[in-house]
Amino acid sequence: LKWVILVALFYGPVRTYLSGNTYGKQPAVHNLSFSNMYASLSYFGGKVLPHKLSRRDTVGKVDPLKVQSARPQRHIVLVMGESLRYKNLSLYGYERPTTPRLQKMAEEKSLLFRKAFSGGVSTDVSVPMFMNSHQGYDVAPVIVSQRRCLFSLAQDNGFGTHYISAQTQTSLQHILNYICPTAIDNLQVGAGLGAVEEELTFNDEILVDALKKIDLSTPQFIVLHQRGSHSPYELRYPSTQVIFPLEPADAYEVQQVKHYDNSVHYTDLVLSD
């Protein structure tokens, strides 16, 4: 029996390696968990691992991008959302009015908006992937080199750099080293190590307060990182911003959706501010 199991486990990776197919690269949402796990392992063992082992010479050979302008004439404010699902934005036709301010901006032609998808299913992966300019394999050398990190690129092009997060240092401890902190002139987080989410007394409006304190007499590249709509949703908006109230008869699932929608409405307020 153990030989049958071993053959079954190795069949997928070996087939992927020999055939060159992409089985397991994108597991299907309708498959069973075991099926998706086997598919992912097949892709890793038959595609990713051989590629990594055969191309060690690429490590460290990362060319910096060309400087575009040593004297920029503008500021850039980049807001990093958190767990924001476009299907819950009335900007995209959602039935609850979760984004009235953004919709008004869109109607006034002062807002362009597009659907987008995160580069990872967790913040620890998606933020470093977003902050480093790269496509395809071998992203680790690019991140480690810090030559294509947005903050490095901003400094090279004459911007002052800021990374201001409403998240805690504990939440960011696996991220900060991968977004070239040495190229960040001003780094602020909402709370230090060991902070307990349930005990925090601030929301994303601290990002607006921090933005107002930045000296804008010279060009600045500013990243504001929200707590956004990350679970637990009921902690992501102040009590004064309950737009969709919970009813005693609401089922747990209904309560969670209302909490989430309240957090989206609060994000609409923060972005507007």
Side-chain angles (χ1 to χ4, degrees), residues 216-247:
L216 299 178
S217 61
T218 57
Q220 303 297 323
F221 174 69
I222 305 163
V223 175
L224 305 177
H225 187 182
Q226 296 180 278
R227 288 161 79 195
S229 296
H230 195 290
S231 61
Y233 310 132
E234 62 269 23
L235 301 181
R236 299 298 171 246
Y237 59 95
S239 57
T240 56
Q241 294 296 322
V242 179
I243 307 300
F244 312 111
L246 277 67
E247 304 294 340

Short mmCIF file of all heavy atoms in Angstrom, two decimals, residues 216-247:
data_model
loop_
_atom_site.label_atom_id
_atom_site.label_comp_id
_atom_site.label_asym_id
_atom_site.label_seq_id
_atom_site.Cartn_x
_atom_site.Cartn_y
_atom_site.Cartn_z
N LEU A 216 5.05 69.23 2.51
CA LEU A 216 4.85 69.05 1.07
C LEU A 216 5.51 70.15 0.25
O LEU A 216 5.14 70.40 -0.89
CB LEU A 216 3.35 69.00 0.76
CG LEU A 216 2.56 67.87 1.43
CD1 LEU A 216 1.08 67.97 1.07
CD2 LEU A 216 3.11 66.51 1.04
N SER A 217 6.51 70.78 0.83
CA SER A 217 7.22 71.83 0.09
C SER A 217 8.14 71.24 -0.98
O SER A 217 8.56 71.96 -1.90
CB SER A 217 8.02 72.71 1.05
OG SER A 217 8.99 71.93 1.75
N THR A 218 8.48 69.97 -0.84
CA THR A 218 9.26 69.26 -1.86
C THR A 218 8.50 68.00 -2.25
O THR A 218 7.66 67.50 -1.49
CB THR A 218 10.65 68.88 -1.33
OG1 THR A 218 10.50 68.08 -0.14
CG2 THR A 218 11.47 70.12 -1.00
N PRO A 219 8.76 67.42 -3.43
CA PRO A 219 8.02 66.24 -3.91
C PRO A 219 8.14 65.05 -2.96
O PRO A 219 9.24 64.71 -2.51
CB PRO A 219 8.67 65.94 -5.26
CG PRO A 219 9.22 67.23 -5.71
CD PRO A 219 9.71 67.91 -4.45
N GLN A 220 7.01 64.41 -2.67
CA GLN A 220 6.97 63.30 -1.72
C GLN A 220 6.26 62.09 -2.33
O GLN A 220 5.27 62.24 -3.04
CB GLN A 220 6.25 63.72 -0.43
CG GLN A 220 6.83 64.94 0.27
CD GLN A 220 8.24 64.73 0.75
OE1 GLN A 220 8.61 63.65 1.21
NE2 GLN A 220 9.07 65.77 0.65
N PHE A 221 6.78 60.90 -2.02
CA PHE A 221 6.12 59.63 -2.35
C PHE A 221 5.64 59.05 -1.03
O PHE A 221 6.44 58.68 -0.17
CB PHE A 221 7.09 58.69 -3.04
CG PHE A 221 6.53 57.31 -3.29
CD1 PHE A 221 5.52 57.11 -4.21
CD2 PHE A 221 7.00 56.21 -2.58
CE1 PHE A 221 4.99 55.84 -4.44
CE2 PHE A 221 6.49 54.94 -2.79
CZ PHE A 221 5.48 54.76 -3.73
N ILE A 222 4.33 58.98 -0.86
CA ILE A 222 3.73 58.64 0.43
C ILE A 222 2.86 57.40 0.28
O ILE A 222 1.93 57.37 -0.54
CB ILE A 222 2.86 59.81 0.95
CG1 ILE A 222 3.69 61.11 1.00
CG2 ILE A 222 2.27 59.48 2.31
CD1 ILE A 222 2.84 62.36 1.11
N VAL A 223 3.15 56.37 1.07
CA VAL A 223 2.33 55.16 1.09
C VAL A 223 1.56 55.13 2.41
O VAL A 223 2.16 55.19 3.49
CB VAL A 223 3.18 53.89 0.95
CG1 VAL A 223 2.29 52.64 1.10
CG2 VAL A 223 3.89 53.86 -0.40
N LEU A 224 0.24 55.06 2.31
CA LEU A 224 -0.63 54.94 3.47
C LEU A 224 -1.24 53.54 3.46
O LEU A 224 -1.95 53.18 2.52
CB LEU A 224 -1.74 56.00 3.43
CG LEU A 224 -1.28 57.46 3.30
CD1 LEU A 224 -2.49 58.38 3.20
CD2 LEU A 224 -0.40 57.86 4.46
N HIS A 225 -0.94 52.75 4.48
CA HIS A 225 -1.36 51.35 4.51
C HIS A 225 -2.49 51.19 5.54
O HIS A 225 -2.28 51.35 6.73
CB HIS A 225 -0.17 50.47 4.88
CG HIS A 225 -0.46 49.01 4.77
ND1 HIS A 225 0.45 48.04 5.10
CD2 HIS A 225 -1.57 48.33 4.37
CE1 HIS A 225 -0.07 46.84 4.91
NE2 HIS A 225 -1.30 47.00 4.47
N GLN A 226 -3.66 50.84 5.05
CA GLN A 226 -4.84 50.72 5.90
C GLN A 226 -4.89 49.41 6.70
O GLN A 226 -4.25 48.42 6.35
CB GLN A 226 -6.11 50.76 5.05
CG GLN A 226 -6.35 52.07 4.31
CD GLN A 226 -7.64 51.95 3.51
OE1 GLN A 226 -7.64 51.41 2.40
NE2 GLN A 226 -8.73 52.46 4.06
N ARG A 227 -5.69 49.42 7.77
CA ARG A 227 -6.17 48.18 8.36
C ARG A 227 -7.38 47.72 7.56
O ARG A 227 -7.67 46.54 7.46
CB ARG A 227 -6.54 48.39 9.83
CG ARG A 227 -5.32 48.58 10.74
CD ARG A 227 -5.72 49.22 12.04
NE ARG A 227 -6.32 48.28 12.96
CZ ARG A 227 -7.01 48.66 14.04
NH1 ARG A 227 -7.20 49.93 14.29
NH2 ARG A 227 -7.52 47.75 14.85
N GLY A 228 -8.08 48.70 6.99
CA GLY A 228 -9.11 48.43 5.98
C GLY A 228 -10.24 47.53 6.43
O GLY A 228 -10.89 47.77 7.44
N SER A 229 -10.48 46.48 5.66
CA SER A 229 -11.60 45.57 5.90
C SER A 229 -11.11 44.18 6.31
O SER A 229 -11.77 43.17 6.04
CB SER A 229 -12.49 45.47 4.66
OG SER A 229 -13.09 46.71 4.38
N HIS A 230 -9.95 44.14 6.94
CA HIS A 230 -9.42 42.86 7.42
C HIS A 230 -10.24 42.36 8.60
O HIS A 230 -10.69 43.14 9.43
CB HIS A 230 -7.95 43.04 7.83
CG HIS A 230 -7.20 41.76 8.01
ND1 HIS A 230 -7.45 40.88 9.04
CD2 HIS A 230 -6.20 41.21 7.29
CE1 HIS A 230 -6.64 39.84 8.95
NE2 HIS A 230 -5.87 40.02 7.89
N SER A 231 -10.45 41.06 8.67
CA SER A 231 -11.17 40.49 9.81
C SER A 231 -10.35 40.70 11.10
O SER A 231 -9.11 40.77 11.03
CB SER A 231 -11.42 39.00 9.59
OG SER A 231 -10.18 38.32 9.46
N PRO A 232 -11.00 40.81 12.25
CA PRO A 232 -12.46 40.83 12.48
C PRO A 232 -13.06 42.17 12.05
O PRO A 232 -12.60 43.24 12.46
CB PRO A 232 -12.59 40.62 13.99
CG PRO A 232 -11.29 41.08 14.57
CD PRO A 232 -10.24 40.83 13.53
N TYR A 233 -14.07 42.10 11.21
CA TYR A 233 -14.62 43.28 10.54
C TYR A 233 -15.19 44.31 11.52
O TYR A 233 -15.13 45.52 11.26
CB TYR A 233 -15.71 42.87 9.55
CG TYR A 233 -15.29 41.76 8.61
CD1 TYR A 233 -16.11 40.65 8.39
CD2 TYR A 233 -14.08 41.82 7.94
CE1 TYR A 233 -15.73 39.63 7.53
CE2 TYR A 233 -13.68 40.81 7.08
CZ TYR A 233 -14.51 39.71 6.89
OH TYR A 233 -14.14 38.70 6.04
N GLU A 234 -15.72 43.84 12.65
CA GLU A 234 -16.35 44.76 13.59
C GLU A 234 -15.35 45.71 14.25
O GLU A 234 -15.73 46.71 14.87
CB GLU A 234 -17.12 43.99 14.68
CG GLU A 234 -16.27 43.09 15.55
CD GLU A 234 -16.17 41.67 14.99
OE1 GLU A 234 -16.38 41.49 13.77
OE2 GLU A 234 -15.89 40.76 15.79
N LEU A 235 -14.05 45.41 14.10
CA LEU A 235 -13.01 46.27 14.67
C LEU A 235 -12.46 47.26 13.65
O LEU A 235 -11.53 48.02 13.96
CB LEU A 235 -11.85 45.42 15.20
CG LEU A 235 -12.19 44.39 16.28
CD1 LEU A 235 -10.93 43.65 16.71
CD2 LEU A 235 -12.86 45.06 17.48
N ARG A 236 -13.02 47.30 12.46
CA ARG A 236 -12.44 48.09 11.38
C ARG A 236 -13.16 49.41 11.10
O ARG A 236 -12.86 50.07 10.12
CB ARG A 236 -12.38 47.25 10.09
CG ARG A 236 -11.53 46.01 10.23
CD ARG A 236 -10.08 46.36 10.55
NE ARG A 236 -9.31 45.19 10.88
CZ ARG A 236 -8.78 44.93 12.06
NH1 ARG A 236 -8.92 45.81 13.05
NH2 ARG A 236 -8.10 43.83 12.28
N TYR A 237 -14.08 49.77 11.97
CA TYR A 237 -14.75 51.06 11.82
C TYR A 237 -15.20 51.54 13.20
O TYR A 237 -15.50 50.73 14.08
CB TYR A 237 -15.95 50.96 10.87
CG TYR A 237 -17.01 49.97 11.30
CD1 TYR A 237 -18.12 50.39 12.03
CD2 TYR A 237 -16.91 48.62 10.97
CE1 TYR A 237 -19.10 49.49 12.43
CE2 TYR A 237 -17.88 47.71 11.37
CZ TYR A 237 -18.97 48.15 12.09
OH TYR A 237 -19.92 47.25 12.49
N PRO A 238 -15.19 52.85 13.43
CA PRO A 238 -15.62 53.37 14.73
C PRO A 238 -17.12 53.25 14.93
O PRO A 238 -17.88 53.15 13.97
CB PRO A 238 -15.18 54.84 14.68
CG PRO A 238 -15.10 55.17 13.23
CD PRO A 238 -14.72 53.91 12.52
N SER A 239 -17.55 53.28 16.18
CA SER A 239 -18.97 53.12 16.50
C SER A 239 -19.82 54.24 15.92
O SER A 239 -21.02 54.09 15.73
CB SER A 239 -19.16 53.05 18.02
OG SER A 239 -18.63 54.22 18.63
N THR A 240 -19.19 55.38 15.64
CA THR A 240 -19.92 56.52 15.06
C THR A 240 -20.19 56.33 13.57
O THR A 240 -20.89 57.14 12.97
CB THR A 240 -19.12 57.81 15.26
OG1 THR A 240 -17.81 57.64 14.69
CG2 THR A 240 -18.99 58.15 16.74
N GLN A 241 -19.63 55.27 12.98
CA GLN A 241 -19.77 55.04 11.54
C GLN A 241 -20.56 53.76 11.24
O GLN A 241 -20.27 53.05 10.29
CB GLN A 241 -18.39 54.98 10.89
CG GLN A 241 -17.63 56.28 10.93
CD GLN A 241 -18.32 57.37 10.13
OE1 GLN A 241 -18.89 57.13 9.07
NE2 GLN A 241 -18.27 58.60 10.64
N VAL A 242 -21.55 53.47 12.08
CA VAL A 242 -22.43 52.32 11.83
C VAL A 242 -23.53 52.77 10.87
O VAL A 242 -24.53 53.37 11.27
CB VAL A 242 -23.04 51.79 13.14
CG1 VAL A 242 -23.97 50.61 12.84
CG2 VAL A 242 -21.94 51.37 14.10
N ILE A 243 -23.33 52.50 9.60
CA ILE A 243 -24.28 52.92 8.57
C ILE A 243 -25.32 51.84 8.32
O ILE A 243 -26.47 52.12 8.00
CB ILE A 243 -23.54 53.25 7.26
CG1 ILE A 243 -22.43 54.26 7.52
CG2 ILE A 243 -24.51 53.75 6.20
CD1 ILE A 243 -22.92 55.58 8.09
N PHE A 244 -24.90 50.59 8.46
CA PHE A 244 -25.81 49.45 8.25
C PHE A 244 -25.95 48.73 9.58
O PHE A 244 -25.17 47.81 9.90
CB PHE A 244 -25.25 48.53 7.17
CG PHE A 244 -24.79 49.27 5.93
CD1 PHE A 244 -23.45 49.36 5.61
CD2 PHE A 244 -25.72 49.90 5.12
CE1 PHE A 244 -23.03 50.05 4.50
CE2 PHE A 244 -25.31 50.61 4.00
CZ PHE A 244 -23.96 50.70 3.69
N PRO A 245 -26.94 49.14 10.40
CA PRO A 245 -27.07 48.61 11.77
C PRO A 245 -27.46 47.14 11.80
O PRO A 245 -28.18 46.65 10.93
CB PRO A 245 -28.16 49.49 12.38
CG PRO A 245 -28.95 49.99 11.22
CD PRO A 245 -27.98 50.14 10.09
N LEU A 246 -26.97 46.46 12.83
CA LEU A 246 -27.32 45.05 13.03
C LEU A 246 -28.66 44.96 13.75
O LEU A 246 -28.96 45.77 14.64
CB LEU A 246 -26.24 44.34 13.84
CG LEU A 246 -25.02 43.84 13.08
CD1 LEU A 246 -24.19 45.01 12.55
CD2 LEU A 246 -24.16 42.95 13.97
N GLU A 247 -29.44 43.96 13.36
CA GLU A 247 -30.73 43.72 13.98
C GLU A 247 -30.65 42.47 14.85
O GLU A 247 -29.87 41.54 14.56
CB GLU A 247 -31.82 43.54 12.92
CG GLU A 247 -31.95 44.69 11.94
CD GLU A 247 -32.41 45.97 12.60
OE1 GLU A 247 -33.00 45.89 13.70
OE2 GLU A 247 -32.19 47.04 12.01
#
